[in-house]
Amino acid sequence: MNSAVTTPRGTGTRNTRILGVLTIILMVLLTFCGLIFSGEDINQGSTVRIMYVHVPSIWVAYLAFGMTALCSAIYLSGRNRSLIWDRFSGAAGEIGVLFVAVSLVTGSLWGRLTWGTYWVWDARLTSTAFLFITYIGYLAVRRLGGTHRQRARRSAVLALIAILEIPLVHFSVNVWRTLHQKASVADPNAKVALDGLMLFSLFLGLIAFTMLFAWLVIHRQRSLALEDAVADRGLDAAIEARREEATN
Amino acid sequence: MDHASFIIGSWVLTFASVIGYAVYVIRRGRELSKNATSEEMPWT
């Protein structure tokens, strides 16, 4: 039946391999810059080194959830109802959940050193935890039964609602009094003087993690496409079996 | 380096999570592509 069955090739291509190698190089460079070459902070000492993985992690989470919403909006807009948008949305959502979890744990470790506690129910931490739970729910909704198009429609609606939490999380430090510090590098009015190598390490982290996100989302989107294809094949086989039953 | 266990722990946890997920994604893709047709893998 399936004459065109191919040898295992996976989800990689020459371009993803190049992207992967570049990402690894930047990650190694980030490790050296973040852990060895960059200096200590005047106030926080060497604990500032957690920043080089904590900030890029939450950046990737924002980026991933933004992409989830954007791809969902494109899917729902009706201009292009291709399921590829749904798969990109699902892949980005999954990666976003991973990076929010990483951000929460690294933030908790950093908090233990700077605030003396792993967790406080302040606005930034609580809203981030709520964001994490919301997108766990988004992934759960994607796994409900139904056709691919039903999955795409209901998860796209949820993604467009869930994205409204991002401004809440990001601006929570300005709206409420929190233990978590306000935006510093991203705020042009903030009088924060970061050492050149510290700033370089931070931006290197943002670039490396963004490239990592791109690599992960491409691969995950392709494996989701294959999962859909497997499900379709199973459905086709079941329909064929029922037809044979009916004719015999 | 002060608080090395917390700092190194944060980095190790980050990289371990990412590498673990990347390995899962690659393995899943390879496993599914074993029975896939060329039409189902337009990127090849």
Side-chain angles (χ1 to χ4, degrees), chain A residues 108-227:
Chain A
S108 176
L109 291 170
W110 198 4
R112 178 69 183 83
L113 298 175
T114 51
W115 307 330
T117 178
Y118 287 104
W119 187 265
V120 282
W121 291 102
D122 88 336
R124 170 58 71 83
L125 276 69
T126 308
S127 58
T128 308
F130 190 60
L131 183 75
F132 175 66
I133 293 164
T134 303
Y135 277 90
I136 291 276
Y138 168 80
L139 295 180
V141 164
R142 289 189 65 83
R143 289 177 178 271
L144 294 174
T147 63
H148 302 326
R149 297 218 170 266
Q150 285 172 332
R151 175 198 67 198
R153 196 165 50 247
R154 66 179 167 232
S155 59
V157 171
L158 182 56
L160 291 177
I161 296 169
I163 193 67
L164 299 175
E165 282 182 48
I166 298 284
L168 181 77
V169 173
H170 189 70
F171 295 110
S172 59
V173 287
N174 299 327
V175 177
W176 292 283
R177 287 182 65 198
T178 65
L179 260 181
H180 196 285
Q181 72 171 70
K182 289 184 167 58
S184 46
V185 178
D187 183 359
N189 299 320
K191 292 173 182 171
V192 175
L194 266 182
D195 168 71
L197 196 52
M198 287 169 80
L199 199 60
F200 173 78
S201 302
L202 183 60
F203 278 102
L204 182 65
L206 293 173
I207 293 166
F209 274 59
T210 303
M211 286 169 66
L212 173 67
F213 167 69
W215 184 88
L216 285 171
V217 85
I218 291 167
H219 279 280
R220 187 62 183 132
Q221 184 278 134
R222 288 173 179 170
S223 70
L224 287 176
L226 289 170
E227 282 178 14

Side-chain angles (χ1 to χ4, degrees), chain A residues 59-108:
Chain A
W59 155 251
V60 167
Y62 284 177
L63 188 67
F65 296 147
M67 185 174 171
T68 302
L70 180 67
C71 293
S72 297
I74 293 171
Y75 179 79
L76 285 180
S77 69
R79 287 180 197 160
N80 190 344
R81 287 255 167 165
S82 168
L83 282 171
I84 195 169
W85 298 113
D86 170 64
R87 292 184 201 115
F88 267 118
S89 189
E94 199 173 286
I95 296 162
V97 165
L98 172 77
F99 279 95
V100 170
V102 167
S103 174
L104 281 170
V105 177
T106 54
S108 176

Side-chain angles (χ1 to χ4, degrees), chain A residues 13-29:
Chain A
T13 56
R14 186 172 171 271
N15 287 340
T16 58
R17 277 188 281 277
I18 291 169
L19 180 63
V21 170
L22 286 175
T23 304
I24 290 170
I25 292 168
L26 288 190
M27 285 291 182
V28 171
L29 193 60

Side-chain angles (χ1 to χ4, degrees), chain B:
Chain B
M1 190 192 301
D2 296 332
H3 310 295
S5 59
F6 279 78
I7 296 162
I8 305 287
S10 297
W11 281 69
V12 167
L13 184 132
T14 303
F15 285 121
S17 306
V18 168
I19 290 167
Y21 181 71
V23 168
Y24 161 74
V25 169
I26 290 293
R27 279 191 177 176
R28 184 89 180 117
R30 283 189 183 162
E31 188 185 308
L32 289 165
S33 68
K34 279 179 187 169
N35 298 314
T37 63
S38 299
E39 292 76 38
E40 289 166 347
M41 299 170 66
W43 55 88
T44 54

